[in-house]
Amino acid sequence: MSAKLKLYLGRKMIECLKKNPDIVPAQLKPLIQIGIPPSDNDIEMSLPINALENRLGISSINEILKIQPDDIIQNIHCIKDRANRKISFEINRNIFVKDVIENCTAPDINFEPKEIVIEYSSPNIAKPFHFGHLRSTIIGNFIANLHSYLNNNVTRLNYLGDWGTQFGFIRIGVEKLNYSNEDIKKNPIKLLYESYVHANRLAENDPEITELARKRFSNLEKGASDDLCQWKTFMGYTIDELQVMYGRLGVKFDEYNYESMYSAKDIQDVVDILKKKNILQVQPDGKQTASVNDRKVSLIKSDGSTLYLTRDIAAAIDRFKKYQFDQMYYVVENGQNDHFNALKDLLHKMEFPWAGCIKHVKFGRIRGMSTRKGNVVFLKDILDETRELMVKKQIESPNTKAPITDEETSDTLGVSCVIVNDLKQRRQKDYEFSWDRVLQVQGDSGIKLQYTHCRLCSLEMNSGAIPTQECVPELIDHPEVTSLVREIARFHDVLYNAHQQLESCILVTYLFHLCNHINRALKVLKVKGQEPTIASQRLLVFTAARDVLGQGMRILGIKPLTRM
């Protein structure tokens, strides 16, 4: 629903609240929700009394109840049972339907766009793109898309783990396995991972391998030209392959950042602040630590090289200088909670006033995720198998009219299924991965969203109705229209709640409900063969529903198909 009606109701209420002159309509707007009316063809908008009392300090609602009916507000009353205390406005049905149909996909007006930085995905170089990174990618992309739709200025960051002793192990493994640069270029992530694993196995029986790996990384931090050249080569190959995978997922980043940007020689000023504020403590073995919530955390190794936490402190400071963010999100699994608590605590101790603007967006783990062919967890293998199984499912389905013939459509369908299966879960809950649930044709899945969207596209192409932009509510005075329009109108309320909680499942559940309303309406509201003006108005309702469904899918990170 557009913001117009909510702002109108807000103004009417404020005019009555003589003792609360500081409240503006924009404060009331997010509190006003689509209500459940007494009959199918009515429209109700409601405002929770608890929200008025707790958020705005309005203790008496008697003045609001004195609002006089007009062309828009037909009635107003108060419900005060224990479970549901609210002010209910009965709204003119025709005005509501026209407003929603003509403005449903326009974002709510955002008078104060925020600067938002989101770090997500963040895989490690030369390690499989495992399901933790996949969840981070999917959830982070959703949050970025949602903020962009709400007209905030979003910077999407991919912070690659390209630094640390792992580089030393990779370099040793490459040498031991005699891989050339040309070999690695053809399949970088797989071969670099094999090199890393091979060197670690050697280290199990030869402690000198570990020491050599540490020395290699220490040389890299000090700027050794040979190591730097090799590292840059590995990085370039890996990023090229990652970008192909991100392209399949429909994910783009504004910037790639690297841990290596914050090596020991680059962040001496950060170390100096830690020392000046007496945060660092030198231990007998030469390590430098800090106290965080009665525990010691390491910041500098005994050989002077940095640790992940030190580099994260430097990265946060650098990002605030660059972006002046209002909020910075780190989309990282639950297991890193202690790390981000330490990061915030140390930034507070360093007396940065923006330390409270960083937020760890936690998520649970996926259990049992592997391909059906084995236990490999490379993202490419998962996406390839999803695409293959999608084609197989459609060929076997008795409802298939035209099997998928192009790889791009099958890939989009498969990716849709993977994304929806993940985003319909509560963010912080662990869940069990199941190929059957991911690829189910019946029930709530990515296929349901894509099928409904394609069905509405087909309706527009094949109905014979002439599209129109102007809604004439009197010509579509059916309970099924009112019910569908009410559901369409909930879109912005749903986005507001999803934004407040950073929960994608709120939007996914809404889109499933919207599909159900669409499919019920399609059974009753025929378009083809109807009188032209009636057909055009019904088509306009279904077009609005399709546009909201498509916009919701794009916010989730799904490319809506037009045929399948």
Side-chain angles (χ1 to χ4, degrees):
M1 184 181 65
S2 78
K4 294 177 184 176
L5 281 175
K6 288 188 176 186
L7 291 171
Y8 176 79
L9 292 179
R11 284 195 298 272
K12 294 292 284 187
M13 283 187 274
I14 289 167
E15 287 170 7
C16 297
L17 297 171
K18 298 172 185 175
K19 296 179 181 178
N20 295 281
D22 294 335
I23 298 173
V24 296
Q27 290 174 274
L28 292 172
K29 180 165 68 74
L31 306 179
I32 301 169
Q33 305 277 311
I34 306 300
I36 301 172
S39 68
D40 290 342
N41 217 29
D42 291 335
I43 301 296
E44 180 192 89
M45 297 174 72
S46 61
L47 196 153
I49 295 172
N50 286 350
L52 284 175
E53 293 172 342
N54 299 335
R55 297 194 200 181
L56 302 176
I58 299 172
S59 57
S60 174
I61 61 163
N62 291 331
E63 293 170 338
I64 295 175
L65 296 175
K66 293 176 184 176
I67 293 174
Q68 293 300 306
D70 56 21
D71 291 342
I72 296 175
I73 302 170
Q74 297 189 324
N75 194 10
I76 178 170
H77 62 277
C78 180
I79 297 173
K80 280 194 172 181
D81 61 66
R82 185 173 297 178
N84 194 12
R85 301 171 65 238
K86 65 180 182 180
I87 301 170
S88 174
F89 298 90
E90 183 184 335
I91 303 297
N92 181 294
R93 184 257 183 202
N94 287 348
I95 289 175
F96 179 86
V97 168
K98 184 176 178 66
D99 180 58
V100 171
I101 293 299
E102 293 181 354
N103 300 288
C104 56
T105 56
D108 270 359
I109 299 167
N110 184 351
F111 294 107
E112 296 180 357
K114 304 290 186 186
E115 293 294 330
I116 306 294
V117 174
I118 306 175
E119 179 196 302
Y120 58 105
S121 194
S122 303
N124 294 307
I125 296 302
K127 291 186 181 178
F129 193 106
H130 65 71
F131 26 82
H133 299 303
L134 178 60
R135 287 212 79 189
S136 173
T137 305
I138 292 171
I139 294 168
N141 192 50
F142 157 72
I143 294 171
N145 292 340
L146 179 57
H147 272 283
S148 292
Y149 180 79
L150 297 174
N151 199 35
N152 288 319
N153 300 315
V154 179
T155 301
R156 303 160 186 252
L157 286 184
N158 196 351
Y159 185 55
L160 300 184
D162 67 329
W163 213 235
T165 308
Q166 71 180 46
F167 172 80
F169 282 112
I170 293 166
R171 187 79 192 271
I172 292 166
V174 167
E175 291 166 359
K176 297 288 185 184
L177 292 171
N178 293 316
Y179 286 142
S180 67
N181 279 346
E182 201 57 40
D183 293 330
I184 293 168
K185 185 177 182 180
K186 292 174 185 173
N187 199 350
I189 294 177
K190 190 171 187 296
L191 294 191
L192 292 176
Y193 178 59
E194 285 179 5
S195 302
Y196 175 77
V197 170
H198 183 68
N200 271 278
R201 283 181 183 150
L202 294 176
E204 289 173 5
N205 300 313
D206 185 357
E208 289 186 9
I209 295 288
T210 302
E211 192 53 41
L212 181 58
R214 288 187 184 130
K215 187 176 179 182
R216 281 284 176 83
F217 172 58
S218 182
N219 289 341
L220 180 61
E221 273 221 304
K222 290 170 184 172
S225 59
D226 181 49
D227 288 303
L228 272 172
C229 181
Q230 191 69 72
W231 164 77
K232 286 177 181 176
T233 301
F234 292 167
M235 282 287 295
Y237 295 160
T238 307
I239 290 166
D240 288 344
E241 185 173 335
L242 281 173
Q243 286 179 331
V244 173
M245 292 300 101
Y246 289 132
R248 290 179 70 179
L249 286 169
V251 173
K252 292 182 179 178
F253 293 94
D254 297 306
E255 284 196 29
Y256 282 82
N257 283 182
Y258 314 95
E259 279 188 67
S260 54
M261 293 165 60
Y262 308 104
S263 62
K265 64 186 178 61
D266 297 313
I267 62 169
Q268 187 57 48
D269 56 339
V270 174
V271 176
D272 290 342
I273 295 172
L274 289 165
K275 288 178 178 176
K276 185 178 178 181
K277 301 285 184 184
N278 295 317
I279 297 169
L280 283 180
Q281 300 139 18
V282 181
Q283 302 302 315
D285 61 359
K287 283 194 302 188
Q288 297 182 58
T289 64
S291 295
V292 175
N293 299 326
D294 300 323
R295 65 187 178 94
K296 285 190 178 353
V297 295
S298 296
L299 291 173
I300 307 290
K301 292 182 187 177
S302 54
D303 64 1
S305 56
T306 58
L307 289 158
Y308 189 80
L309 179 56
T310 330
R311 298 191 284 273
D312 249 6
I313 293 169
I317 295 168
D318 183 44
R319 290 170 190 175
F320 187 78
K321 287 178 182 175
K322 189 171 182 180
Y323 303 112
Q324 297 289 303
F325 54 75
D326 295 295
Q327 192 90 52
M328 179 162 65
Y329 298 111
Y330 295 88
V331 186
V332 184
E333 68 166 357
N334 289 329
Q336 294 297 312
N337 196 46
D338 285 347
H339 170 83
F340 289 105
N341 283 340
L343 175 62
K344 285 186 77 167
D345 184 82
L346 290 168
L347 289 170
H348 275 297
K349 285 176 178 172
M350 295 170 80
E351 299 180 0
F352 289 110
W354 47 265
C357 297
I358 68 173
K359 180 179 177 64
H360 176 202
V361 181
K362 311 170 196 174
F363 58 82
R365 296 185 175 185
I366 311 175
R367 294 188 297 267
M369 187 174 184
S370 67
T371 68
R372 289 188 174 185
K373 298 172 183 174
N375 295 316
V376 182
V377 290
F378 287 98
L379 177 61
K380 182 179 185 298
D381 298 323
I382 294 291
L383 294 183
D384 285 351
E385 184 153 352
T386 309
R387 182 181 61 211
E388 291 165 16
L389 290 169
M390 183 55 57
V391 174
K392 184 170 181 286
K393 277 258 185 188
Q394 205 200 32
I395 291 171
E396 293 171 352
S397 172
N399 299 321
T400 297
K401 295 178 182 176
I404 299 171
T405 54
D406 67 288
E407 193 171 90
E408 185 179 346
T409 299
S410 59
D411 206 38
T412 299
L413 268 176
V415 167
S416 301
C417 290
V418 170
I419 290 174
V420 169
N421 183 67
D422 191 275
L423 293 183
K424 73 180 183 181
Q425 319 291 335
R426 274 274 164 194
R427 174 164 48 82
Q428 291 195 56
K429 286 184 69 175
D430 296 349
Y431 73 90
E432 200 74 35
F433 184 84
S434 161
W435 280 106
D436 291 335
R437 280 198 297 273
V438 170
L439 299 169
Q440 63 181 346
V441 176
Q442 304 297 323
D444 293 340
S445 68
I447 294 176
K448 178 175 183 173
L449 300 184
Q450 291 286 16
Y451 173 77
T452 306
H453 189 270
C454 289
R455 191 177 179 190
L456 293 172
C457 291
S458 175
L459 177 70
E460 182 171 4
M461 287 188 288
N462 302 320
S463 68
I466 300 170
T468 181
Q469 299 297 317
E470 184 180 355
C471 178
V472 184
E474 293 81 4
L475 295 177
I476 42 175
D477 190 10
H478 306 283
E480 291 80 12
V481 170
T482 310
S483 177
L484 178 54
V485 171
R486 265 201 310 265
E487 194 64 20
I488 292 170
R490 290 183 56 236
F491 184 50
H492 288 137
D493 292 346
V494 166
L495 294 184
Y496 174 78
N497 292 331
H499 170 252
Q500 289 295 103
Q501 300 177 46
L502 295 179
E503 281 286 5
S504 58
C505 63
I506 295 171
L507 176 56
V508 175
T509 301
Y510 164 75
L511 293 179
F512 289 146
H513 285 314
L514 178 61
C515 287
N516 294 338
H517 278 79
I518 290 167
N519 291 324
R520 282 196 293 269
L522 283 167
K523 291 178 182 177
V524 177
L525 302 170
K526 301 301 180 186
V527 178
K528 193 170 184 177
Q530 301 299 304
E531 194 272 321
T533 55
I534 300 293
S536 293
Q537 288 298 308
R538 290 182 177 182
L539 179 61
L540 180 61
V541 174
F542 287 120
T543 301
R546 183 201 65 199
D547 290 347
V548 167
L549 175 59
Q551 185 61 66
M553 291 169 71
R554 282 186 284 272
I555 290 171
L556 293 178
I558 298 168
K559 176 186 176 183
L561 293 171
T562 56
R563 57 185 302 179
M564 59 179 278

